Amino acid sequence: MVTLRLIEPGKPNQNAYIESFNGRFRDECLNEHWFLSPAHAQAIIEAWRREYNEKRQKKALGGLTPAAYAQQLASKSATAVHGL
């Protein structure tokens, strides 16, 4: 069963991660484009999402992109399996 838990109204600091993401998304994507149709909006937002999730370096990942970090984990995992 899934339980929905909402933050209290006027308390965005209860979920600072999503508030930070929402601000970044608004500043870098929504404020930068005029959307001509829902399909156009989907294409622009998907391109931004891919760039944000796959190509940007993340401090939390030691400066690696998520794709590079995943590749690094996969190679470590393969090494660990072969090392048994």
Side-chain angles (χ1 to χ4, degrees):
M1 182 167 125
V2 174
T3 303
L4 213 59
R5 295 186 181 205
L6 303 174
I7 64 171
E8 295 175 61
K11 305 269 185 177
N13 58 338
Q14 289 180 347
N15 193 348
Y17 173 78
I18 196 64
E19 290 299 319
S20 174
F21 172 80
N22 287 345
R24 186 171 291 118
F25 177 62
R26 185 175 42 256
D27 290 343
E28 297 175 7
C29 186
L30 300 179
N31 290 347
E32 295 293 319
H33 300 282
W34 286 85
F35 301 115
L36 305 175
S37 68
H40 182 243
Q42 280 183 315
I44 296 291
I45 291 168
E46 178 62 15
W48 184 86
R49 185 194 67 78
R50 287 182 178 268
E51 190 270 331
Y52 181 82
N53 286 329
E54 298 171 7
K55 298 179 181 171
R56 287 192 191 183
Q57 296 175 342
K58 309 288 186 194
K59 289 180 187 177
L61 302 178
L64 296 173
T65 64
Y69 185 74
Q71 187 176 30
Q72 183 183 55
L73 285 179
S75 67
K76 283 182 182 179
S77 175
T79 304
V81 169
H82 293 312
L84 289 176

